[in-house]
Amino acid sequence: MRIARLDDQPSLALDGSRIDCSSDNILEAVVGRRKNGLYAPQINFSLLVDANAGFPVGYRYFVGSTNAVSTLEDFTSLWNAYGLPDKNPMLVVDRGYFNLEMLIKIGLQGYRFLAGAKTCYKLVKTIIEDRNSEFYEAAAILESTNVYGIQDQKVLKGEAGKLKVNVSVFRNPVEEMDATRRLLKRLSKFESEWLWGKADPNDPLLEFYDSPQLGEPLRSNMRTVSEHCFLLGYFAFVPNDDVDLESALDIYKLCNEVEVVFKLMLGNLMKTTRVHSMEGLLFTTFMALSILTNLRARMKADLNGQPVCSNYTIAEVFARLKKIQLIEIEGKKYLINVSGKDKKLVEALGF
């Protein structure tokens, strides 16, 4: 954990990823479900990132069958021990972490948060249903993006107590139409496969049809289809902090920072690091990831009127710096293989 190095009021993005792990020596490798629907031995790896600076703050790994919500209690115990609440952080998580009881607990412990929420949840769905006409009014269009948005105050109630939150709900009309077209296309394909006996008789798409019979044409229930499409194009966030609709959108975008860091880690470091234990692999990878993200932040600096990252990739920066050598002649040290471009690059990076 690098909590001591955080600035006050940091924005911290938390996310997890499942990593395939077939070794019999790793007890945490448990069969779990992949994103493609298949099952395999894996671990659940979670990463906490300083979303403003782009630096990894800490990591934990769990057995492969552990879901995202259940990791929050473990995390908050650890964060409390390291004094994270004193930093007054804003925790940003996607809807996979949404759990009323858990959010109430961390909110009452002093954590500010903004969590993604599914539109089928009652506190979101009631806003969409009760105030639906407002999502079509000109006054609800946000200036910064092509979506409509409204906000409502709610009180989360659970065994841990009560917590006031602002529920921010948005409607994206373009996504609404695209998602509806995708569904209708899927249904059309499914109907053809059903007639040819190639469709799964337990496919969830069957809920859109009346009394399906094997070998018989499917009869669409358009009321069910329309009710499903009613919630398409909507998305929602639940912050316990006083943030307006525009700010809620900006804060949630910080979740993308975790995706970038995960890509650096899983796409590069994990595949090239060789150690004898999972603990060693994750620790070594985390340290290397800290170096890479530090370099990535430095590459935002100006070089000849443009950011360094506009002229070089991380791999290209390493390639240029790797050829530079330090030699010693008569007790004096010199750098060799240094071009004028290298000097400007190193200066821009702040080394």
Side-chain angles (χ1 to χ4, degrees):
M1 283 288 180
R2 304 169 68 190
I3 289 174
R5 300 182 61 182
L6 292 173
D7 295 329
D8 288 334
Q9 298 187 338
S11 295
L12 303 178
L14 176 68
D15 201 1
S17 181
R18 299 187 186 277
I19 302 173
D20 288 345
C21 183
S22 57
S23 173
D24 295 331
N25 297 323
I26 299 175
L27 299 179
E28 291 81 8
V30 175
V31 173
R33 187 175 183 180
R34 294 169 168 172
K35 288 186 178 180
N36 60 9
L38 301 177
Y39 290 83
Q42 56 190 6
I43 64 168
N44 184 332
F45 180 82
S46 296
L47 193 64
L48 183 68
V49 172
D50 183 336
N52 293 124
F55 298 145
V57 177
Y59 70 91
R60 298 283 278 170
Y61 69 97
F62 308 87
V63 296
S65 57
T66 307
N67 60 42
V69 171
S70 60
T71 66
L72 270 179
E73 190 152 6
D74 178 82
F75 270 117
T76 49
S77 297
L78 188 64
W79 296 339
N80 291 343
Y82 280 88
L84 182 59
D86 296 336
K87 299 282 186 176
N88 192 22
M90 166 64 79
L91 183 64
V92 187
V93 293
D94 64 23
R95 59 187 190 178
Y97 287 88
F98 192 93
N99 177 275
L100 287 179
E101 199 65 44
M102 198 63 233
L103 292 179
I104 292 173
K105 285 182 180 179
I106 65 175
L108 293 178
Q109 290 180 50
Y111 289 94
R112 295 181 299 138
F113 64 78
L114 185 142
K118 295 180 180 179
T119 53
C120 60
Y121 293 157
K122 184 178 180 181
L123 80 167
V124 177
K125 192 174 181 179
T126 52
I127 294 175
I128 296 174
E129 292 176 342
D130 297 345
R131 302 177 60 182
N132 190 258
S133 62
E134 295 180 48
F135 287 101
Y136 295 83
E137 295 177 1
I141 298 178
L142 302 187
E143 293 183 7
S144 64
T145 185
N146 296 322
V147 299
Y148 295 81
I150 63 174
Q151 197 173 62
D152 203 354
Q153 289 189 338
K154 298 282 187 179
V155 177
L156 304 184
K157 299 178 181 180
E159 294 181 3
K162 299 179 181 179
L163 184 70
K164 291 182 179 180
V165 295
N166 288 317
V167 183
S168 302
V169 188
F170 305 86
R171 172 180 169 262
N172 184 333
V174 175
E175 175 58 26
E176 177 185 339
M177 290 184 287
D178 289 344
T180 300
R181 291 191 184 100
R182 288 195 297 269
L183 174 63
L184 295 177
K185 189 175 180 179
R186 284 178 61 203
L187 292 177
S188 177
K189 181 181 178 182
F190 181 75
E191 290 165 11
S192 177
E193 292 175 343
W194 179 267
L195 274 178
W196 290 97
K198 297 180 180 179
D200 181 358
N202 297 311
D203 196 300
L205 289 177
L206 287 171
E207 67 177 273
F208 296 110
Y209 300 95
D210 291 325
S211 305
Q213 299 292 327
L214 289 173
E216 298 293 328
L218 292 170
R219 299 193 308 275
S220 299
N221 185 325
M222 291 311 298
R223 180 175 180 177
T224 303
V225 174
S226 297
E227 288 177 354
H228 176 83
C229 293
F230 177 75
L231 293 176
L232 295 180
Y234 288 92
F235 59 98
F237 310 136
V238 178
N240 67 334
D241 203 26
D242 187 19
V243 295
D244 58 28
L245 291 166
E246 299 273 3
S247 299
L249 282 174
D250 290 336
I251 292 172
Y252 194 73
K253 289 176 183 177
L254 297 176
C255 282
N256 293 333
E257 197 63 31
V258 185
E259 297 297 326
V260 173
V261 176
F262 259 126
K263 186 176 180 180
L264 281 174
M265 177 182 168
L266 302 179
N268 300 302
L269 299 175
M270 276 286 190
K271 295 180 180 179
T272 57
T273 305
R274 295 292 179 266
V275 294
H276 296 291
S277 68
M278 179 58 68
E279 184 67 45
L281 174 63
L282 295 178
F283 178 75
T284 305
T285 301
F286 180 78
M287 296 302 294
L289 188 62
S290 299
I291 296 171
L292 279 182
T293 51
N294 180 276
L295 179 59
R296 176 170 165 262
R298 289 172 180 264
M299 290 175 64
K300 296 177 182 178
D302 179 75
L303 177 65
N304 300 325
Q306 290 183 316
V308 175
C309 55
S310 297
N311 298 279
Y312 297 96
T313 64
I314 289 179
E316 289 169 342
V317 169
F318 274 122
R320 292 199 71 92
L321 299 182
K322 188 176 181 180
K323 67 181 179 61
I324 300 174
Q325 296 181 358
L326 178 68
I327 63 171
E328 186 172 342
I329 301 176
E330 296 179 352
K332 293 185 178 181
K333 295 179 180 179
Y334 303 89
L335 290 176
I336 62 172
N337 298 331
V338 184
S339 68
K341 284 186 177 181
D342 296 332
K343 290 180 180 179
K344 290 183 178 180
L345 173 60
V346 170
E347 184 180 358
L349 293 174
F351 295 131

